[in-house]
């Protein structure tokens, strides 16, 4: 499945403008043969927008979700994107996946909040593994800091995730996560990892870009730079199966030794 990574911060504070950016990028991705486009963490509203996070938060099935579903259906490709979700009087840092026909497939709430900013504005989710079937692949969702916890990604590997989507707001000076950690996560868990970042200065944060699609052999199949960019690469089920056959990590695990980890 050809997968497009939309590296962009859009226009922080303007949902309408960000939907337009997503619509335009989805058109370019579809023209390049992509079956899926992934946008960054909090793409719908912007990340460093303070109290506007709560003001702009919407239910998972709100008006903006309907607009994303329409974009997916019109361009004929699946869409994953980050947004602030309002539910039961709380706000979550969430990511949602729509199928190419506009069907909502999955909604995930970030389980590991990073820093005082996120703890001040969000409630952590409590469901670590959220998956959906898409074009013959088992697709999982995670958000930014979540991928830095090896137990989190291993849980996805044990649940059979083939492609892990990670909308991200990765900031300076932690670019080594995109450069080094994400390919290692893909290798040690034998899956593809699509890590899709914001760019540029936003409030107190400097987002570093470097979005990547890492393959199960630990090689980045595509990597963006530090500017706004749409990059495309293929998720190959044949390569995935061969890599899993050759790599014994999951087969050679000894869970009985790991009880002290939890």
């Amino acid at each position: 499945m050809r997968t497009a990574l939309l590296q962009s911060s859009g226009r922080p504070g303007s949902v309408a403008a960000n939907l337009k950016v997503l619509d335009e990028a989805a058109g370019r991705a579809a023209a390049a043969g992509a079956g899926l486009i992934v946008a960054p963490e909090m793409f719908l509203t912007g990340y460093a927008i303070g109290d506007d996070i709560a003001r702009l938060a919407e239910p998972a099935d709100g008006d903006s979700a309907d607009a994303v579903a329409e974009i997916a259906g019109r361009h004929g490709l699946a869409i994953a994107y980050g947004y602030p979700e309002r539910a039961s009087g709380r706000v979550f840092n969430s990511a949602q996946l729509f199928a190419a026909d506009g069907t909502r497939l999955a909604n995930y709430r970030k389980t590991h909040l990073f820093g005082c900013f996120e703890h001040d504005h969000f409630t952590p989710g409590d469901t670590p593994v959220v998956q959906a079937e898409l074009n013959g692949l088992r697709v999982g969702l995670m958000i930014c800091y979540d991928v830095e916890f090896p137990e989190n990604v291993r849980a996805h590997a044990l649940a059979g995730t083939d492609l892990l989507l990670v909308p991200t707001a990765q900031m300076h000076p932690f670019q080594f996560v995109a450069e080094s950690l994400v390919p290692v996560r893909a290798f040690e868990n034998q899956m593809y990892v699509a890590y899709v970042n914001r760019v540029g200065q936003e409030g107190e944060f400097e987002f570093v870009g470097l979005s990547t699609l890492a393959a199960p052999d630990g090689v980045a199949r595509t990597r963006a730079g530090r500017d706004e960019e749409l990059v495309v690469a293929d998720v190959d089920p044949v390569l995935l199966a061969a890599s899993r056959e050759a790599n014994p990590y999951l087969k050679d695990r000894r869970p009985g030794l790991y009880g002290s980890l939890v």
Side-chain angles (χ1 to χ4, degrees):
M1 178 175 64
R2 185 154 293 176
T3 300
L5 315 183
L6 172 56
Q7 179 167 285
S8 172
S9 289
R11 184 182 298 173
S14 176
V15 173
N18 293 329
L19 287 169
K20 288 182 180 179
V21 172
L22 181 61
D23 190 4
E24 187 274 336
R28 287 191 286 138
L36 167 67
I37 184 171
V38 186
E41 180 177 3
M42 292 286 288
F43 179 76
L44 191 63
T45 60
Y47 181 90
I49 58 174
D51 291 340
D52 280 348
I53 290 173
R55 182 178 66 84
L56 296 174
E58 296 185 24
D61 59 355
D63 291 343
S64 294
D66 290 342
V68 174
E70 189 277 331
I71 292 170
R74 179 155 41 82
H75 292 292
L77 82 170
I79 298 176
Y81 68 102
Y83 75 108
E85 178 192 359
R86 180 174 297 284
S88 302
R90 296 175 292 174
V91 177
F92 299 91
N93 185 337
S94 296
Q96 191 148 228
L97 173 65
F98 284 90
D101 64 359
T103 301
R104 187 155 57 97
L105 295 180
N107 187 67
Y108 169 79
R109 296 167 176 172
K110 189 173 186 178
T111 54
H112 296 73
L113 301 180
F114 179 78
C116 295
F117 179 84
E118 292 192 6
H119 283 279
D120 286 345
H121 291 285
F122 300 108
T123 297
D126 57 10
T127 304
V129 177
V130 173
Q131 299 170 309
E133 299 297 322
L134 180 66
N135 296 347
L137 296 170
R138 184 168 295 179
V139 176
L141 289 169
M142 197 172 278
I143 299 175
C144 197
Y145 193 41
D146 290 328
V147 81
E148 298 177 38
F149 293 81
E151 303 91 342
N152 241 22
V153 186
R154 181 52 54 89
H156 269 274
L158 296 176
T161 294
D162 300 313
L163 168 61
L164 184 62
L165 309 181
V166 189
T168 293
Q170 183 64 66
M171 55 198 70
H172 177 82
F174 305 111
Q175 47 266 33
F176 70 89
V177 174
E179 295 169 338
S180 301
L181 187 148
V182 168
V184 169
R185 287 286 180 271
F187 179 75
E188 68 189 5
N189 290 289
Q190 288 302 291
M191 62 176 64
Y192 282 88
V193 180
Y195 187 81
V196 188
N197 200 10
R198 306 178 68 83
V199 291
Q201 194 74 33
E202 192 176 325
E204 63 184 292
F205 306 113
E206 179 190 349
F207 299 114
V208 299
L210 302 175
S211 300
T212 187
L213 179 69
D217 58 5
V219 176
R221 289 301 189 262
T222 188
R223 188 184 294 281
R226 297 295 189 99
D227 299 316
E228 301 256 341
E229 194 170 353
L230 182 73
V231 296
V232 178
D234 290 328
V235 173
D236 183 357
V238 175
L239 184 150
L240 179 60
S243 184
R244 285 175 170 173
E245 182 64 27
N247 188 308
Y249 279 157
L250 298 181
K251 296 176 185 176
D252 289 349
R253 292 172 66 250
R254 296 182 61 192
L257 300 180
Y258 312 146
S260 62
L261 294 178
V262 294

